[in-house]
């Protein structure tokens, strides 16, 4: 029977969580009321009809129609270096470094602290090796498939091995992407490279402690080229299928998080449970590392979301603000939910809640205001908590570090609510929840089915899983011949 002290703590946590929902409800109601009042206050009075006799004069006085604006470029361009915006370029260079920091050391430490001591080096190695592997593949073919004009699913090979991406110092010319006209293409390409790096690295959390290193490299390499790049093209490149439909995914709710999360679930199911799962204690070996990694992810995420504006402007500022706000709300939401359900708020819980908030606000960060960020943060904290605990236990799958529960579920929450809370004054776009749902479903199917096929092929050729003896010994020693003392 719970003590009075624990009961009181749970009541306080419940009151705090209800308070969060109350604030969200009030903000939504206030925003709706403002929307209803706005038309009456701002709508201009209808002009009186002009007399028939004055019509010719009015027509004669009308200015000549302005010439049609030139269409926006849809392929990379070569421009004079004087057209490059130094402020935008400086911000994008900074954002690129911040997003790379999210993988090494951020994600590496976040995951490394959650595994058992015998697997920490192997977990760190996965993030580091993926960073190196994807860098090479992105330069050779990944960037070209994702970010050149092509069909609805694939780009072209126009930028194979970065062919045509130039900087001619003496001539004063530089190539720019049609998706970032004020920064050198080399900067835009490298910025997008860091997204391509972290996405497969996220998948590793689902199969921690049991995949062969060789199989992991093959899977991540093939997945990066055959699944990540096509989905990035579909969602972000104007000739891509869902981009053409008007999907709103500012920084990767579908491309990064749902994509990685569903692939992680498939990996967990295909590999099976860890030896001793559900019978042996598998506590994180060092939550200090995990909290440090989560903190680095939080800071790096400003480059992830605000950097996706591809400019140092008002949208970048708004994206940074809502990222901070939604993350804080989600961390508190997860913490209070856990406090109510389990009786104590944990360090792992608040860190996981923060990451869930970062995930969920990612697709919405350039499109929503404070109200949307508040609701997205609350929803992410509560729903991801139950996905990583109750749902996982109910279905019995072994998603080791909750890659699916946090990234896929958080990504779905964010992608759908982006369509609900889109603010046109910020986004300059209308939102369609049906389009958002279609993009989510496409990502789930393409990544889920594609990952399953890749895993089965690799399993037939070289095998996916280490032996039971190697798993019990620990991957640090059995795969890498090293150990943490």
């Amino acid at each position: 029977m719970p003590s009075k002290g624990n009961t009181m703590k749970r009541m306080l946590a419940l009151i705090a969580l209800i308070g969060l929902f109350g604030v969200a409800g009030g903000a939504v109601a206030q925003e709706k009321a403002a929307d209803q009042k706005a038309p009456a206050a701002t709508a201009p009075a209808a002009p009186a009809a002009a007399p028939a006799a004055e019509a010719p004069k009015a027509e004669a006085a009308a200015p000549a129609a302005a010439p049609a604006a030139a269409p926006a470029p849809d392929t990379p361009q070569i421009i004079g270096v004087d057209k490059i915006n130094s402020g935008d370029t400086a911000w994008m260079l900074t954002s690129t470094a911040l997003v790379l920091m999210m993988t090494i050391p951020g994600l590496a430490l976040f995951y490394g602290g959650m595994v058992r001591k015998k697997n920490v080096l192997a977990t760190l190695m996965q993030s580091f090796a993926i960073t190196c592997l994807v860098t090479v593949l992105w330069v050779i073919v990944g960037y070209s498939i994702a970010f050149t004009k092509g069909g609805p699913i694939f780009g072209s090979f126009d930028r194979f091995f970065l062919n045509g991406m130039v900087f001619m110092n003496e001539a004063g010319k530089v190539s720019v992407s049609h998706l970032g006209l004020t920064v050198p293409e080399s900067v835009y390409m490298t910025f997008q490279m860091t997204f391509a790096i972290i996405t497969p690295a996220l998948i590793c959390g689902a199969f921690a402690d049991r995949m062969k290193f060789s199989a992991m490299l093959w899977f991540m390499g093939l997945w990066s080229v055959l699944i990540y790049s096509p989905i990035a093209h579909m969602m972000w490149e104007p000739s891509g299928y869902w981009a053409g439909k008007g999907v709103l995914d500012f920084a990767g709710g579908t491309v990064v998080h749902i994509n990685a999360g569903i692939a992680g679930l498939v990996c967990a199911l295909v590999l099976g449970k860890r030896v001793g799962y559900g019978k042996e204690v598998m506590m994180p070996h060092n939550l200090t590392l995990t909290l440090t990694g989560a903190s680095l992810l939080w800071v790096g995420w400003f480059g992830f979301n605000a950097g996706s504006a591809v400019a140092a402007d008002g949208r970048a500022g708004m994206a940074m603000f809502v990222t901070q706000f939604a993350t804080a709300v989600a961390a508190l939401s997860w913490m209070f939910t856990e406090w109510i359900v389990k009786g104590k708020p944990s360090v792992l819980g608040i860190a996981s809640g923060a990451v869930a908030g970062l995930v969920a606000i990612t697709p919405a960060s350039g499109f929503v205001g404070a109200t949307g960020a508040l609701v997205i943060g609350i929803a992410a904290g509560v729903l991801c908590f139950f996905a990583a605990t109750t749902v996982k236990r109910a279905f019995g799958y072994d998603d080791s570090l909750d890659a699916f529960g946090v990234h896929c579920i958080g990504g779905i929450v964010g992608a759908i609510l982006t369509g609900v809370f889109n603010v046109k004054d910020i986004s300059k776009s209308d939102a369609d929840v049906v389009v958002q749902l279609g993009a989510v479903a496409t990502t789930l199917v393409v990544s889920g089915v594609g990952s399953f096929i890749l895993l089965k092929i690799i399993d037939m050729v070289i095998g996916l899983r280490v032996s039971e003896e190697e798993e019990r010994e620990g991957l640090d020693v059995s795969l890498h011949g090293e150990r943490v003392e």
Side-chain angles (χ1 to χ4, degrees):
M1 189 166 182
S3 67
K4 289 183 179 179
N6 282 339
T7 302
M8 181 61 69
K9 290 175 183 176
R10 292 188 185 195
M11 286 179 64
L12 289 172
L14 180 58
I15 290 167
L17 189 58
I18 291 171
L20 280 175
F21 280 103
V23 172
V28 172
Q30 188 177 21
E31 190 171 271
K32 285 184 177 178
D35 288 344
Q36 289 169 357
K37 291 176 184 177
T42 59
E54 294 181 7
K57 291 182 183 178
E59 185 175 354
D74 58 1
T75 58
Q77 308 287 306
I78 294 180
I79 65 172
V81 293
D82 59 317
K83 302 289 197 318
I84 294 296
N85 184 297
S86 59
D88 292 349
T89 303
W91 170 235
M92 294 308 297
L93 289 167
T94 302
S95 295
T96 300
L98 286 170
V99 182
L100 180 61
M101 185 185 73
M102 290 172 64
T103 307
I104 48 171
L107 186 70
L109 293 174
F110 182 68
Y111 279 170
M114 283 196 280
V115 297
R116 290 166 287 177
K117 187 177 179 180
K118 63 184 179 180
N119 294 318
V120 61
L121 293 177
T123 302
L124 298 174
M125 179 69 163
Q126 287 172 345
S127 291
F128 206 93
I130 287 169
T131 299
C132 300
L133 176 64
V134 174
T135 294
V136 174
L137 293 174
W138 188 250
V139 168
I140 295 172
V141 71
Y143 173 70
S144 190
I145 290 174
F147 289 107
T148 59
K149 183 179 179 181
I153 298 174
F154 291 91
S156 69
F157 291 104
D158 290 350
R159 283 293 188 261
F160 182 78
F161 222 109
L162 303 184
N163 173 58
M165 193 184 82
V166 298
F167 169 54
M168 297 176 281
N169 196 4
E170 198 168 324
K173 299 287 185 181
V174 65
S175 62
V176 296
S177 169
H178 53 296
L179 299 173
L181 294 170
T182 63
V183 302
E185 188 179 8
S186 57
V187 175
Y188 183 78
M189 181 277 300
T190 309
F191 175 69
Q192 290 296 345
M193 177 195 290
T194 59
F195 282 65
I197 287 168
I198 196 169
T199 306
L202 293 171
I203 301 171
C204 295
F207 59 73
D209 299 352
R210 58 199 189 275
M211 184 183 271
K212 289 181 179 179
F213 185 67
S214 57
M216 186 278 296
L217 289 174
W218 274 106
F219 176 71
M220 295 305 179
L222 292 170
W223 190 92
S224 174
V225 173
L226 300 178
I227 296 176
Y228 176 84
S229 289
I231 289 180
H233 179 81
M234 282 192 278
M235 305 298 169
W236 283 340
E237 213 288 325
S239 62
Y241 182 81
W242 286 109
K245 296 286 185 183
V247 69
L248 299 181
D249 186 353
F250 193 68
T254 53
V255 179
V256 176
H257 299 294
I258 299 174
N259 198 4
I262 191 63
L265 178 63
V266 172
C267 286
L269 293 174
V270 172
L271 268 78
K273 301 174 184 178
R274 287 168 287 179
V275 173
Y277 179 71
K279 301 174 184 177
E280 301 174 8
V281 177
M282 298 182 176
M283 296 294 291
H285 92 284
N286 191 333
L287 285 178
T288 301
L289 294 182
T290 294
L291 191 63
T292 302
S295 303
L296 289 167
L297 284 168
W298 191 334
V299 174
W301 225 286
F302 292 128
F304 201 80
N305 287 355
S308 292
V310 199
D313 61 7
R315 174 172 275 187
M318 183 60 77
M320 177 173 279
F321 153 63
V322 296
T323 297
Q324 176 70 14
F325 186 40
T327 302
V329 170
L332 292 173
S333 182
W334 183 304
M335 183 189 78
F336 287 128
T337 304
E338 183 181 43
W339 204 341
I340 294 165
V341 173
K342 297 187 175 181
K344 293 181 180 179
S346 70
V347 171
L348 180 58
I350 197 169
S352 299
V355 173
L358 290 164
V359 168
I361 197 62
T362 290
S365 54
F367 305 128
V368 303
T371 299
L374 178 64
V375 177
I376 288 170
I378 292 173
V382 174
L383 294 177
C384 290
F385 168 79
F386 285 111
T389 55
T390 306
V391 173
K392 185 166 74 169
R393 282 196 303 270
F395 286 92
Y397 57 84
D398 183 11
D399 176 7
S400 307
L401 309 181
D402 297 314
F404 172 76
V406 172
H407 292 279
C408 190
I409 300 303
I412 291 172
V413 168
I416 294 172
L417 292 183
T418 298
V420 175
F421 290 99
N422 171 61
V423 178
K424 192 171 181 179
D425 283 345
I426 298 172
S427 67
K428 293 203 258 186
S429 302
D430 290 315
D432 186 338
V433 175
V434 174
V435 170
Q436 299 298 112
L437 288 168
V440 168
T442 298
T443 306
L444 291 171
V445 171
V446 172
S447 185
V449 174
S451 298
F452 180 81
I453 293 170
L454 290 178
L455 288 166
K456 285 298 184 180
I457 292 172
I458 294 168
D459 195 25
M460 286 190 295
V461 177
I462 63 172
L464 286 173
R465 186 164 178 162
V466 297
S467 67
E468 182 175 338
E469 182 180 340
E470 289 173 322
E471 189 174 336
R472 289 195 178 279
E473 183 181 22
L475 304 189
D476 291 0
V477 172
S478 63
L479 295 183
H480 305 292
E482 300 167 299
R483 71 173 75 229
V484 174
E485 298 296 343

